Amino acid sequence: MHSFRKAFKDQAPLYVFVAVLFLVGVLFGAMMVNALSLEQQQDIARYLNHFFVNLHEGGPASGQSSFWEIASLHLKWIGLIWILGLSVIGLPGILILDFLKGVLIGFTVGYLVGQYSWSGLLFALVSVAPQNMLMIPIVMMCSVTAIHFSLYMIRNRLLVQRGGSLAKPLMSYAITTGVMALATLAAASFEMWVTPSMMRWVTPMLVQATNLAF
């Protein structure tokens, strides 16, 4: 526990940096909604309207057919961050992934709120927020650990040319990522079995709003 607190304290500036980068991505994603053409807005609206009606009538909540397909999408994201952290040149890629994560969430929430107002916000809270309350901290922790390891490689291998074994820092890096991967399964479980029920609870309001709009 003491070592964990010390590591968190040492990496606190990185957590702040990654969090700010993620928030900038969220804001950028929300602003992208305003950049959509009328045709793009209509295409997305038709897709969502069909999705809401299908969900309201008891259809599947997503295109994913199994728990492992949902989990694999999240695990691939975590795995890519881990691989990028192993190389010095992968450091910018980690930052890009964090920014893109924010953009995806910001665009989704921004569009739902802009198109469906309060009912859209409520749908975003039950469909986007729950699993991302787990996934965002997981991605941030994986990213910070990867950045920290990459910076360690730069300082101790490229700049200073120190000797010594990489086994201990690499093992710590791998263990942290492994624990986060297990936590990812919890987020996937929530997305698979809890989120659809919450979405069906809100969908009638969206179907009604869609009918009024058309």
Side-chain angles (χ1 to χ4, degrees):
M1 182 63 69
H2 176 71
S3 60
F4 176 79
R5 289 178 180 175
K6 183 179 184 301
F8 183 81
K9 184 177 180 180
D10 294 340
Q11 297 172 5
L14 288 178
Y15 277 102
V16 173
F17 177 76
V18 170
V20 170
L21 183 64
F22 172 78
L23 290 175
V24 171
V26 171
L27 293 175
F28 184 81
M31 290 188 295
M32 282 179 60
V33 176
N34 297 325
L36 292 174
S37 66
L38 179 60
E39 183 179 357
Q40 290 172 325
Q41 292 180 18
Q42 290 174 342
D43 289 340
I44 297 175
R46 280 194 293 267
Y47 171 80
L48 286 177
N49 294 341
H50 174 74
F51 172 79
F52 294 145
V53 172
N54 183 59
L55 186 62
H56 181 54
E57 294 175 351
S62 70
Q64 304 300 328
S65 59
S66 72
F67 163 78
W68 288 111
E69 287 181 342
I70 294 175
S72 67
L73 291 176
H74 296 309
L75 290 173
K76 286 175 183 177
W77 198 281
I78 300 302
L80 183 56
I81 291 175
W82 186 77
I83 292 173
L84 290 173
L86 293 174
S87 62
V88 174
I89 60 174
L91 184 57
I94 299 170
L95 302 179
I96 291 173
L97 286 177
D98 292 333
F99 179 77
L100 287 178
K101 186 71 173 176
V103 170
L104 291 173
I105 294 175
F107 180 84
T108 303
V109 175
Y111 183 85
L112 287 171
V113 173
Q115 187 73 20
Y116 301 101
S117 189
W118 289 106
S119 56
L121 176 61
L122 184 58
F123 187 81
L125 289 175
V126 300
S127 63
V128 179
Q131 60 268 20
N132 279 298
M133 289 180 66
L134 290 173
M135 282 308 304
I136 291 172
I138 289 172
V139 170
M140 286 183 61
M141 185 167 290
C142 289
S143 298
V144 168
T145 306
I147 294 170
H148 186 264
F149 182 80
S150 186
L151 291 176
Y152 174 86
M153 293 281 291
I154 294 173
R155 288 193 302 264
N156 293 276
R157 295 290 171 171
L158 298 182
L159 299 182
V160 184
Q161 297 292 328
R162 292 179 182 174
S165 174
L166 279 174
K168 186 176 180 180
L170 180 59
M171 181 64 68
S172 176
Y173 177 37
I175 290 175
T176 301
T177 304
V179 172
M180 292 300 100
L182 292 176
T184 297
L185 298 181
S189 299
F190 197 97
E191 185 175 351
M192 177 69 185
W193 290 294
V194 179
T195 300
S197 299
M198 299 172 66
M199 291 166 62
R200 288 189 177 94
W201 172 64
V202 179
T203 301
M205 288 182 282
L206 290 163
V207 172
Q208 182 179 6
T210 299
N211 292 332
L212 290 175
F214 291 93

